[in-house]
Amino acid sequence: MKRMVIITSLCATAIAAKAPETGFIDIVKHKPIVNMGSPAEWLNAIIWVESGYGQYNPQEKQAVGILQQHPIFVYDVNRILGKQKYTLDDRNDPVKAIQMFFIYQRFYNPEMNFEKMVRIQSGGPDGYKQSCTDAYYELVRDKLFTKFYR
């Protein structure tokens, strides 16, 4: 019983220390995570959410590979490079899919902001501006941080 009282009082102190001055804790809107983890860790979480490291998702007929890349993605990567380096079949090669992912990210997200990285993966070059990519970001973020907290 004594242990339970100590734990409860420590938890209450920690919550009070984190609570804003208004007394309300904002649990609905997420705060951006800018420098948490590495690009490789975020990429692994994206891959897990996209395909579970599989090659095929029956709900996405045109998106294939571990990153579920669409044909337009490959065309855009080749446009960025200024040459036809990648083919549509390269989406099925994990190494080439990851290379294309980072080419795309370095072009549209040169600072490699993690939230922007995830939301661009979901919504294209301006995906970080679209509210429809919020849920996807939360899925990837939760997948990444479950390895740390569970």
Side-chain angles (χ1 to χ4, degrees), residues 22-95:
T22 61
F24 295 102
I25 299 175
D26 185 10
I27 59 172
V28 176
K29 187 168 175 134
H30 71 273
K31 301 222 184 310
I33 299 171
V34 179
N35 293 320
M36 201 69 137
S38 70
E41 290 172 322
W42 281 89
L43 174 61
N44 282 330
I46 290 169
I47 292 170
W48 183 258
V49 169
E50 286 288 349
S51 66
Y53 287 89
Q55 294 291 317
Y56 179 70
N57 180 352
Q59 297 179 359
E60 288 283 347
K61 301 283 188 230
Q62 293 197 4
V64 298
I66 60 171
L67 283 162
Q68 293 296 291
Q69 294 163 329
H70 288 267
I72 189 85
F73 177 83
V74 178
Y75 303 146
D76 200 18
V77 168
N78 285 328
R79 181 194 61 79
I80 291 166
L81 293 174
K83 60 184 176 181
Q84 297 297 314
K85 180 174 180 177
Y86 295 100
T87 66
L88 294 180
D89 290 338
D90 290 338
R91 298 175 294 163
N92 289 311
D93 178 342
V95 172

Side-chain angles (χ1 to χ4, degrees), residues 3 7 10 30 56 62 76 84 100 110 119 143 149:
R3 188 179 289 172
I7 291 171
L10 287 174
H30 71 273
Y56 179 70
Q62 293 197 4
D76 200 18
Q84 297 297 314
M100 289 189 287
R119 295 178 73 191
K143 179 61 188 166
Y149 299 116

Side-chain angles (χ1 to χ4, degrees), residues 109-137:
N109 180 17
E111 68 277 3
M112 296 302 279
N113 175 289
F114 299 131
E115 180 174 355
K116 196 172 175 182
M117 175 189 293
V118 173
R119 295 178 73 191
I120 285 172
Q121 170 66 21
S122 176
D126 65 347
Y128 65 97
K129 299 176 187 175
Q130 301 172 18
S131 62
C132 63
T133 61
D134 288 342
Y136 180 80
Y137 169 70

